[in-house]
Amino acid sequence: MANIGYYPGSFDPITYGHLDIIARALKLVDRLIIGIGSHHGKTGYLNSEVRNELIQSETNSLAKDLSCEIIIESFDDLVVEAAAAAGANLIIRGLRDGRDFEYERQMAMMNAAMKPEIETIFLAASPETSFIASSLVKQIAGMKGDISKFVPPRVAQAIAQKLANE
Ligand code: ADP
């Protein structure tokens, strides 16, 4: 049976932490769908088209190297519904610390209660990227800090452009 993974998140913006989880998830699945969650039509910090383009450009070479298919989509319904609609049998989540674990554990159990046929897989964050959070990247960038250790250059450029237009 082919394994199809669904990696949901806000990716607002995508960081080296997300990319680490994606690279490792690609070794476990035949196809990975990255779902950009947009809740109740909220635009987010970067809009969902920009987030999609950034994820696309940062994951292109990963997919080629591992000859795995990556699909990027937006969703605004329940993660389990989006995962099922995409034909996924696995939901992938990254765990940075105990706080992530408590939240994710409960969510995985509720998702399993709704759709037991979809299994959630947790990947522990790599030590080099486990401290990175999109919310802090936005705060640091807003205060003119250097975010180059947390996000790829194209993402830093998109944020700089957004800040310049404000
Ligand atoms: P949320 O879904 O809470 O909005 P994100 O979109 O930032 O969070 O993250 C999506 C997924 O990626 C979650 O499973 C989250 O734990 C994981 N993640 C975020 N940052 C990192 C990181 N630095 N290392 C590993 N996993 C991460």
Side-chain angles (χ1 to χ4, degrees), residues 11-88:
F11 307 105
D12 194 20
I14 187 155
T15 69
Y16 284 131
H18 297 125
L19 288 167
D20 169 63
I21 297 295
I22 292 169
R24 289 163 55 209
L26 287 173
K27 295 179 188 154
L28 304 174
V29 300
D30 305 284
R31 182 190 303 158
L32 183 68
I33 299 114
I34 301 173
I36 306 171
S38 60
H39 301 293
H40 315 298
K42 272 197 210 151
T43 323
Y45 182 73
L46 297 175
N47 71 44
S48 123
E49 291 77 53
V50 172
R51 279 185 257 168
N52 189 314
E53 278 164 25
L54 290 171
I55 298 172
Q56 187 93 55
S57 55
E58 295 306 325
T59 57
N60 253 343
S61 59
L62 280 179
K64 263 188 221 132
D65 290 352
L66 296 164
S67 31
C68 179
E69 192 184 358
I70 296 188
I71 294 166
I72 303 160
E73 65 169 31
S74 295
F75 71 97
D76 60 7
D77 50 350
L78 288 172
V79 165
V80 277
E81 294 300 341

Side-chain angles (χ1 to χ4, degrees), residues 1-8 25 28-33 79-93 108 111-112 115-122:
M1 185 182 100
N3 279 317
I4 302 179
Y6 198 88
Y7 181 36
L28 304 174
V29 300
D30 305 284
R31 182 190 303 158
L32 183 68
I33 299 114
V79 165
V80 277
E81 294 300 341
N89 58 318
L90 301 171
I91 290 174
I92 312 280
R93 297 290 285 175
N111 284 339
K115 284 216 188 290
E117 64 278 20
I118 301 182
E119 194 68 60
T120 297
I121 292 194
F122 296 131

Side-chain angles (χ1 to χ4, degrees), residues 91-95 100-101 104-106 108 120-124:
I91 290 174
I92 312 280
R93 297 290 285 175
L95 293 180
D100 270 357
F101 174 71
E104 295 287 346
R105 185 178 67 98
Q106 187 178 18
T120 297
I121 292 194
F122 296 131
L123 295 176

Side-chain angles (χ1 to χ4, degrees), residues 135-157:
S135 54
L136 292 176
V137 167
K138 287 179 270 199
Q139 279 184 35
I140 293 168
M143 299 176 88
K144 300 191 170 34
D146 177 10
I147 55 170
S148 62
K149 290 204 172 87
F150 316 133
V151 298
R154 270 185 284 242
V155 176
Q157 268 161 29

